[in-house]
Amino acid sequence: MPATLSAPSRPSERSAGSDFAPLARRVRGSGLLDRRRGYYAWVIGLNLAATAAVWAAVAWAGDSWWTVLLGVPLAVLSARAAFLGHDAGHRQIAGSARGNRWLGLLLGNLLLGMGHGWWNDKHNRHHANPNHVGKDPDVGEGVLAWTSEQAEGKRGVLRWVARHQAALFFPLLTLEGVNLKLGSLLFLRGRSRRDQVLEGGLLLVHAVGYLGLAFALLPVGQALALVAVQHAVFGVHLGAVFAPNHKGMAMPEPGERWGHLRRQVLTSRNVRGGLVTDWLMGGLNYQIEHHLFPGVPRCSLRRLRPLVREHCAAVGLPYAETGLVESYRLALGHMREVGEPLR
């Protein structure tokens, strides 16, 4: 049985509102909400330069099959761009909503081929109601099951997948890079004409530029292999970052309402680690702090953590934090438990 947090006793409306207020005031006064434009200018510039350098290495290496392995650093750098697009979506970078939106469009649609509008819509709904079935799209109906009710409702191949989903989780993530791009395109069907032209146009420019570069530098076989490796590693990388954050944590019952502090803390799990973990996970290993204060720049989350831990201890709220390997054990254990009745 995976270790999960049980739902808290229902707080009074007074405490639900007041528990978060002292922490919010302290964080506002700490300066941790301040923009870190210099940091982001450096990180964005470095990521663009590194991406250009890897493509230059592809051109230099030529048509050797070893060149395909350069899809791995391309995937890692693509994940960095995705994290930056995520930060722009939370308005962590620029001082205005317009500036952050354009950064998101350039980093997401143009550089990655992943729709900024689609991601923002989906991700904001997740932040508003994390782990709440029917409200959080990250635990909605899909290929995988997050509750026993979802698992029992599966039929055919999807039922077999749910039965073995813990073992299949990481292999399925190899398809996530393509799935993100398809989701971005499908999202545009219901958008305004202006959004379709702007976001769709940038997605098209990305596709033409990306595929054109790959096939111009490499023979068809190697180009296809490079694209496949990059997308597979990219999907696994992003999935490995997002999976430990909420899977196996508390899931509010339908109709249950928690205050902001409890809703975000009880449904989230932090991953301990140093600067390497921070870099690999794009700062999202500080998931509790990020959910409580999504506008805090990622480079400030490490400094925010002690304030949040201290406040949670003061109000008697469990603060879930574990190592990286243990976080995967808990997340996969939850998936295995959900699929157990089908075996």
Side-chain angles (χ1 to χ4, degrees), residues 154-171:
K154 301 291 185 185
R155 296 292 181 267
V157 175
L158 290 181
R159 190 174 180 86
W160 180 86
V161 171
R163 187 182 307 145
H164 304 286
Q165 62 182 6
L168 293 173
F169 179 67
F170 283 104

Side-chain angles (χ1 to χ4, degrees), residues 8 153 189 228 274 307 328:
R189 292 184 304 179
L307 304 184
Y328 291 133

Side-chain angles (χ1 to χ4, degrees), residues 68-142:
V68 171
L69 294 178
L70 290 173
V72 175
L74 283 175
V76 173
L77 292 168
S78 294
R80 305 307 102 200
F83 295 146
L84 289 165
H86 164 271
D87 293 355
H90 284 297
R91 303 184 181 181
Q92 295 176 15
I93 305 177
S96 67
R98 180 182 177 85
N100 281 300
R101 180 168 184 260
W102 273 106
L103 279 171
L105 289 170
L106 294 175
L107 290 164
N109 295 58
L110 185 60
L111 189 60
L112 290 179
M114 194 169 80
H116 178 67
W118 167 77
W119 172 260
N120 250 17
D121 175 78
K122 178 177 180 289
H123 195 60
N124 287 340
R125 285 186 285 131
H126 158 69
H127 265 264
N129 294 282
N131 262 15
H132 198 142
V133 175
K135 295 182 178 181
D136 180 0
D138 288 357
V139 291
E141 293 284 353

Side-chain angles (χ1 to χ4, degrees), residues 11-24:
S12 68
E13 290 191 15
R14 185 198 64 79
S15 65
S18 63
D19 279 355
F20 180 66
L23 177 61

Side-chain angles (χ1 to χ4, degrees), residues 183-247:
S184 300
L185 288 172
L186 293 175
F187 176 78
L188 290 178
R189 292 184 304 179
R191 308 307 292 174
S192 68
R193 184 67 175 170
R194 182 172 179 238
D195 284 346
Q196 289 177 347
V197 170
L198 177 58
E199 293 216 32
L202 289 172
L203 291 175
L204 179 61
V205 172
H206 164 81
V208 171
Y210 173 67
L211 294 176
L213 185 60
F215 286 102
L217 296 177
L218 297 172
V220 173
Q222 285 92 325
L224 289 173
L226 178 74
V227 169
V229 168
Q230 180 180 357
H231 281 75
V233 176
F234 175 67
V236 171
H237 187 0
L238 284 190
V241 168
F242 285 97
N245 295 337
H246 302 282
K247 306 311 179 220

Side-chain angles (χ1 to χ4, degrees), residues 1-338:
M1 292 280 292
T4 60
L5 288 172
S6 59
S9 57
R10 190 182 303 276
S12 68
E13 290 191 15
R14 185 198 64 79
S15 65
S18 63
D19 279 355
F20 180 66
L23 177 61
R25 286 194 296 269
R26 189 176 179 188
V27 171
R28 280 195 297 270
S30 70
L32 292 174
L33 284 165
D34 294 348
R35 298 288 182 268
R36 298 288 298 275
R37 294 185 182 86
Y39 165 82
Y40 277 111
W42 164 253
V43 171
I44 292 172
L46 185 62
N47 198 65
L48 291 174
T51 301
V54 176
W55 278 110
V58 171
W60 175 81
D63 60 3
S64 167
W65 280 99
W66 289 105
T67 306
V68 171
L69 294 178
L70 290 173
V72 175
L74 283 175
V76 173
L77 292 168
S78 294
R80 305 307 102 200
F83 295 146
L84 289 165
H86 164 271
D87 293 355
H90 284 297
R91 303 184 181 181
Q92 295 176 15
I93 305 177
S96 67
R98 180 182 177 85
N100 281 300
R101 180 168 184 260
W102 273 106
L103 279 171
L105 289 170
L106 294 175
L107 290 164
N109 295 58
L110 185 60
L111 189 60
L112 290 179
M114 194 169 80
H116 178 67
W118 167 77
W119 172 260
N120 250 17
D121 175 78
K122 178 177 180 289
H123 195 60
N124 287 340
R125 285 186 285 131
H126 158 69
H127 265 264
N129 294 282
N131 262 15
H132 198 142
V133 175
K135 295 182 178 181
D136 180 0
D138 288 357
V139 291
E141 293 284 353
V143 174
L144 302 176
W146 307 113
T147 67
S148 57
E149 291 79 12
Q150 289 179 354
E152 290 169 3
K154 301 291 185 185
R155 296 292 181 267
V157 175
L158 290 181
R159 190 174 180 86
W160 180 86
V161 171
R163 187 182 307 145
H164 304 286
Q165 62 182 6
L168 293 173
F169 179 67
F170 283 104
L172 285 172
L173 285 179
T174 60
L175 304 175
E176 184 63 12
V178 175
N179 181 54
L180 292 171
K181 293 189 173 183
L182 288 176
S184 300
L185 288 172
L186 293 175
F187 176 78
L188 290 178
R189 292 184 304 179
R191 308 307 292 174
S192 68
R193 184 67 175 170
R194 182 172 179 238
D195 284 346
Q196 289 177 347
V197 170
L198 177 58
E199 293 216 32
L202 289 172
L203 291 175
L204 179 61
V205 172
H206 164 81
V208 171
Y210 173 67
L211 294 176
L213 185 60
F215 286 102
L217 296 177
L218 297 172
V220 173
Q222 285 92 325
L224 289 173
L226 178 74
V227 169
V229 168
Q230 180 180 357
H231 281 75
V233 176
F234 175 67
V236 171
H237 187 0
L238 284 190
V241 168
F242 285 97
N245 295 337
H246 302 282
K247 306 311 179 220
M249 298 303 295
M251 301 182 75
E253 295 293 330
E256 191 166 15
R257 300 184 65 178
W258 299 346
H260 180 69
L261 185 70
R262 285 164 170 75
R263 182 168 61 248
Q264 303 300 345
V265 173
L266 293 176
T267 59
S268 303
R269 177 192 297 116
N270 274 17
V271 176
R272 285 191 298 269
L275 295 179
V276 174
T277 303
D278 291 0
W279 184 80
L280 283 173
M281 301 191 74
L284 295 176
N285 47 313
Y286 302 104
Q287 190 67 193
I288 294 173
E289 288 72 25
H290 171 60
H291 262 256
L292 285 172
F293 300 96
V296 169
R298 86 165 78 150
C299 54
S300 298
L301 290 172
R302 175 180 281 269
R303 292 165 52 208
L304 176 59
R305 175 178 168 271
L307 304 184
V308 174
R309 281 178 60 92
E310 179 184 328
H311 185 74
C312 286
V315 299
L317 198 61
Y319 182 99
E321 186 174 63
T322 186
L324 184 61
V325 174
E326 177 67 5
S327 72
Y328 291 133
R329 188 188 73 79
L330 293 171
L332 293 175
H334 171 71
M335 297 174 68
R336 190 176 297 110
E337 181 184 17
V338 168

